Amino acid sequence: MNSHLHPHDQLRRISHRPKLLTALIGLSLFCSVAQAQEFSVMGFGSFVGAKLMEGDGYIANFPNLGIYGKNGSTAFGPTDHSWLNPESRLGLQGIAKINDSTKVTGQMMVRGTANYSPNVEWFYLSHELNDKADIQIGKMRLPVYMFSDKMDVGFAYPWVRVPSDTYSLDSVNYSGARLNYVLRHPGTNVRFSLWSGTQDDQNSKLMSYLFDTRIDRKHRFTGIVADLTHGDGQIRVSYTTDAMRQSTPNPAMGFRNENFDEVFIDVAGQYQFGDLTLMGEWNQDKPFYKSWYLSAIYQMGRYAVYGTYSRFILDEPWEKHNQTSLGIKYDLAGNMALKMDITRFRDQGMNPFTGRPNPVIKIQPGHATLVTVALDFVF
């Protein structure tokens, strides 16, 4: 991550190999889709509007850098001050059945944070080995969180957004393979997944923003997931290793090329007590940070109210914060929900060398309050 060619020519040739491999895989999958026996399309989306009531800015979505800022504020650098753009999105997912055992899945997204430019985020082939096991190959979502596959589907969870403190890795997708195995018993399912792959994040949105310069990251992931559902409860554990190389072309930075052996651990659970659902998730990204959230949701017919508390602690002395969210959800129809949320961000970090509030989140003095309204739908 030896020949007689000039080093620049070698680099150019090497950099084209992953693109060529991706193109060949995509071509083969496209040919398979063209011969599909069945084809289905489903969609989802969210129109999200928010108003910053306190503070200079708020990061609502870390990996896609969904930021709300006040007009004229420069604390967040190049911030989109639009009340609607940062989190609004639309997705289309197509599934082509090649035969009884094989299918191809593709998912395209348009996001406000990407100026609504279409982007293919998933494209993978699934093959059933038997009634308990299947294998997936291609571009997929990192299976590290409880709501990994549903992060963009606002209708699939009760909140306006997944808790940003806990869903804060800079990478969300990977290209590779995944082996899934399911054990089924009456009232109980246990699903195991073994997976591995790579992701090349050139000019990583989140990291380049935090360091205020271009940051490139190359990831090599390997992970295992165990997911147990029994009755009204669920427990999920994921363990991921990442041989990550981080670099920057900026000679002013203290580092130019660094290698990290990351370990990401996530433990999540939820249980439904009649109309009350309790859920929580804890994770640690060694050697960088720890985070967790707890949430309670109470359903009253077509209404649901929720409260969420989350906490983020960077493994540096100057970054620590918490968030408290209260919200309400109203089911307009079987495929559409209207939500309203108020979130208070409270920073507790301080740079011990200068005594100033934390320089990472770039809020002075470090507090923010955001009111959000969202319309989520599936079709």
Side-chain angles (χ1 to χ4, degrees), residues 57-73:
Y58 177 79
I59 304 178
N61 182 310
F62 279 100
N64 293 300
L65 209 60
I67 297 176
Y68 297 95
K70 283 186 175 179
N71 290 330
S73 169

Side-chain angles (χ1 to χ4, degrees), residues 122-150:
W122 300 2
F123 194 52
Y124 61 90
L125 181 144
S126 303
H127 180 74
E128 291 186 5
L129 302 175
N130 52 50
D131 62 347
K132 295 182 179 180
D134 67 90
I135 188 169
Q136 299 168 312
I137 301 174
K139 185 177 182 181
M140 297 169 279
R141 180 61 51 87
L142 290 174
V144 294
Y145 307 118
M146 181 161 61
F147 289 96
S148 282
D149 287 346
K150 303 174 182 177

Side-chain angles (χ1 to χ4, degrees), residues 52-59 68-70 73 75-76 319-324 343-350 357-358 361-370:
L52 193 65
M53 307 302 293
E54 174 194 13
D56 290 327
Y58 177 79
I59 304 178
Y68 297 95
K70 283 186 175 179
S73 169
F76 275 72
E319 174 51 18
K320 182 191 303 182
H321 64 256
N322 64 72
Q323 299 190 60
T324 304
T343 294
R344 300 186 68 190
F345 176 99
R346 290 296 176 263
D347 177 49
Q348 299 170 309
M350 181 173 289
N358 95 64
I361 298 299
K362 303 183 182 180
I363 301 176
Q364 303 293 341
H367 304 321
T369 301
L370 187 76

Side-chain angles (χ1 to χ4, degrees), residues 77-264:
T79 300
D80 185 346
H81 303 299
S82 168
W83 65 277
L84 187 61
N85 278 346
E87 295 180 276
S88 295
R89 58 199 181 270
L90 179 70
L92 289 175
Q93 184 179 107
I95 301 176
K97 182 179 178 181
I98 308 303
N99 53 49
D100 290 339
S101 302
T102 308
K103 62 182 179 181
V104 174
T105 301
Q107 181 167 298
M108 178 178 290
M109 293 289 303
V110 293
R111 302 177 185 274
T113 53
N115 296 318
Y116 299 104
S117 298
N119 182 46
V120 177
E121 298 199 356
W122 300 2
F123 194 52
Y124 61 90
L125 181 144
S126 303
H127 180 74
E128 291 186 5
L129 302 175
N130 52 50
D131 62 347
K132 295 182 179 180
D134 67 90
I135 188 169
Q136 299 168 312
I137 301 174
K139 185 177 182 181
M140 297 169 279
R141 180 61 51 87
L142 290 174
V144 294
Y145 307 118
M146 181 161 61
F147 289 96
S148 282
D149 287 346
K150 303 174 182 177
M151 286 173 61
D152 293 319
V153 188
F155 187 79
Y157 44 79
W159 320 289
V160 161
R161 62 185 65 89
V162 291
S164 57
D165 286 338
T166 308
Y167 288 64
S168 54
L169 287 177
D170 56 299
S171 289
V172 293
N173 298 317
Y174 77 104
S175 296
R178 185 187 308 171
L179 176 64
N180 304 304
Y181 186 83
V182 180
L183 294 175
R184 298 181 179 89
H185 298 281
T188 303
N189 286 338
V190 183
R191 180 183 176 91
F192 298 97
S193 296
L194 293 172
W195 64 279
S196 182
T198 62
Q199 175 66 17
D200 190 357
D201 290 327
Q202 298 291 327
N203 198 15
S204 166
K205 276 190 175 182
L206 177 61
M207 303 312 300
S208 297
Y209 162 76
L210 292 178
F211 283 95
D212 200 23
T213 190
R214 172 170 174 155
I215 300 293
D216 299 328
R217 282 186 158 187
K218 293 185 176 181
H219 304 269
R220 295 201 311 272
F221 298 109
T222 301
I224 183 171
V225 182
D227 192 338
L228 166 68
T229 57
H230 176 76
D232 296 322
Q234 177 187 9
I235 297 176
R236 187 183 189 278
V237 179
S238 71
Y239 181 91
T240 304
T241 63
D242 177 15
M244 187 264 288
R245 181 174 178 80
Q246 177 174 278
S247 62
T248 177
N250 187 350
M253 297 299 294
F255 66 90
R256 295 298 302 278
N257 295 285
E258 287 185 312
N259 295 316
F260 294 94
D261 291 321
E262 284 188 75
V263 174
F264 184 82

